[in-house]
Amino acid sequence: MKYPKIGNITFDGWAFLAPMAGVSDATYRVLARRMGASLTVAEMVSAKGLYYENEKTKEMIVINEKEHPVALQIFGSDPSIMALGAKRMEAAGADMVDINMGCPMQKVVKNGDGSALMKNISLAADIVRAMAQAVHIPVTVKMRLGWDHASMNAVELAQAVEEAGAMAVTVHGRTRDDMYAGKADWKAISQVVNALHIPVIGNGDVVDGPSAKQMMEETGCAAVAIGRAAWGNPWIFREVNEYLRTGEEIEKPTGAMRLDMVRYHLHELCREKGEYIGIREMRAHAAHYFHGLPKATILRGQIMKALTEEEFNRVLSDYELMEGMIEKK
Ligand SMILES: Cc1cc2nc3c(=O)[nH]c(=O)nc-3n(C[C@H](O)[C@H](O)[C@H](O)COP(=O)(O)O)c2cc1C
């Protein structure tokens, strides 16, 4: 199976990290890359925030040298402001700039951004054109199947953005109306694949090696973007890439491996963002890492009370002792 290629970038596998606000920050992207993600995509960043030089927004485009290849994702709907944002992202070291045309949140779509762009194909194409002219790195688009089931226009939109200069398109197999409900429609993704000349990245409901393989076979997509199944589970990237390469399923991480990863992730978050923010953000991540562990609910409750990295780690060690995961010294 051929490695995916976007512009001049050839990836080392097919498992990409999908952008997730509150999840795919630089800390997690480095972790995901280390664990085998072939491309990581950052949380969406406001084009207006970059234009007005908002401090928090500027921090969001800081890239760690260990995470390449990485795409920064932008949302907005004014072509010239988006083009300027793309330039800032290129200057920040992004390997690609991805345009968010899929976010369903009211506070985003009410401004005509995110998935609202699917209702305005000519504006969507103007944005891609302006951005592609502004930067030398590939401009890509992430979209859904349409606004709702009565207006599924993914093929038309994808063709328009390809024509405007997009180098790849990621298609999440749901409409805006679906939000995250129901099953992703992979058949509709295959229609986009068949209509385009550029690579299409399939997205929606890939949860392991076999589902990734099935997505690639059913849609013909060049790679898969994994979102929710990667939250608290960075092992999934190696699992998927190995399965696609060899057809072999590698062993799932043990409880002890999960807790070790939590310690590492927590430490990196605290180092990057300070202990106060690091602890709070890690609570959400940890809740996902604990998925499927015995007495996970109790453990989740306990880490909510931890106020320092040391306390957090003590909760983890006490749990390990209680569950007999390590010998009492
Ligand atoms: C918590 C969360 C945050 C997300 N943030 C973004 C985002 O910033 N940009 C984006 O394009 N999609 C975002 N998404 C959508 C995912 O990238 C992906 O399209 C969706 O979750 C479907 O893929 P999955 O079934 O692998 O999760 C987000 C999804 C979740 C669950």
Side-chain angles (χ1 to χ4, degrees), residues 203-221:
N203 174 237
D205 300 346
V206 170
V207 293
D208 53 17
S211 56
K213 185 159 193 267
Q214 199 186 339
M215 156 84 93
M216 293 192 71
E217 282 173 357
E218 281 183 23
T219 66
C221 62

Side-chain angles (χ1 to χ4, degrees), residues 18-21 44 73 100 142 172 180 203-205 225-228:
M20 281 187 290
M44 62 180 186
Q73 194 192 55
N100 184 317
K142 180 158 177 285
H172 175 192
Y180 292 92
N203 174 237
D205 300 346
I226 306 171
R228 291 163 297 174

Side-chain angles (χ1 to χ4, degrees), residues 40-60:
T40 62
V41 188
E43 325 172 70
M44 62 180 186
V45 168
S46 155
K48 280 197 184 137
L50 290 175
Y51 179 73
Y52 291 114
E53 308 207 347
N54 176 292
E55 283 307 317
K56 234 181 144 229
T57 315
K58 283 201 293 193
E59 275 168 30
M60 288 180 79

Side-chain angles (χ1 to χ4, degrees), residues 43-269:
E43 325 172 70
M44 62 180 186
V45 168
S46 155
K48 280 197 184 137
L50 290 175
Y51 179 73
Y52 291 114
E53 308 207 347
N54 176 292
E55 283 307 317
K56 234 181 144 229
T57 315
K58 283 201 293 193
E59 275 168 30
M60 288 180 79
I61 62 165
V62 175
I63 291 173
N64 185 307
E65 61 190 25
K66 295 192 202 114
E67 58 179 293
H68 295 286
V70 57
L72 291 179
Q73 194 192 55
I74 191 165
F75 74 95
S77 47
D78 179 310
S80 54
I81 293 181
M82 294 285 272
L84 186 120
K87 280 189 178 181
R88 297 261 153 88
M89 290 178 160
E90 181 178 46
D95 297 294
M96 313 196 308
V97 180
D98 188 48
I99 308 171
N100 184 317
M101 298 194 189
C103 179
M105 276 153 56
Q106 190 54 30
K107 69 174 184 189
V108 171
V109 296
K110 75 167 196 276
N111 298 322
D113 306 342
S115 57
L117 283 171
M118 293 187 300
K119 293 204 278 194
N120 193 342
I121 291 183
S122 69
L123 176 60
D126 285 347
I127 291 169
V128 172
R129 207 169 293 115
M131 288 174 62
Q133 276 166 10
V135 294
H136 303 286
I137 52 177
V139 172
T140 60
V141 169
K142 180 158 177 285
M143 54 192 268
R144 288 181 175 237
L145 297 179
W147 181 259
D148 56 25
H149 283 259
S151 60
M152 300 237 294
N153 58 355
V155 168
E156 205 187 336
L157 173 64
Q159 283 174 324
V161 298
E162 175 181 57
E163 226 259 313
M167 305 283 258
V169 171
T170 302
V171 184
H172 175 192
R174 291 186 175 84
T175 66
R176 188 268 172 179
D177 236 22
D178 294 333
M179 303 299 275
Y180 292 92
K183 233 181 104 53
D185 179 353
W186 292 357
K187 206 169 174 54
I189 298 177
S190 79
Q191 287 164 1
V192 178
V193 173
N194 292 334
L196 297 195
H197 305 97
I198 53 174
V200 173
I201 300 144
N203 174 237
D205 300 346
V206 170
V207 293
D208 53 17
S211 56
K213 185 159 193 267
Q214 199 186 339
M215 156 84 93
M216 293 192 71
E217 282 173 357
E218 281 183 23
T219 66
C221 62
V224 295
I226 306 171
R228 291 163 297 174
W231 198 356
N233 181 23
W235 294 271
I236 193 167
F237 301 106
R238 188 146 297 141
E239 179 187 340
V240 165
N241 278 332
E242 273 306 298
Y243 190 82
L244 292 172
R245 237 175 237 126
T246 65
E248 306 263 322
E249 290 193 52
I250 58 176
E251 272 183 41
K252 300 276 182 198
T254 61
M257 284 161 75
R258 284 163 188 260
L259 296 191
D260 277 346
M261 191 65 86
V262 170
R263 288 186 182 96
Y264 177 76
H265 194 161
L266 169 68
H267 185 69
E268 291 300 300
L269 263 183

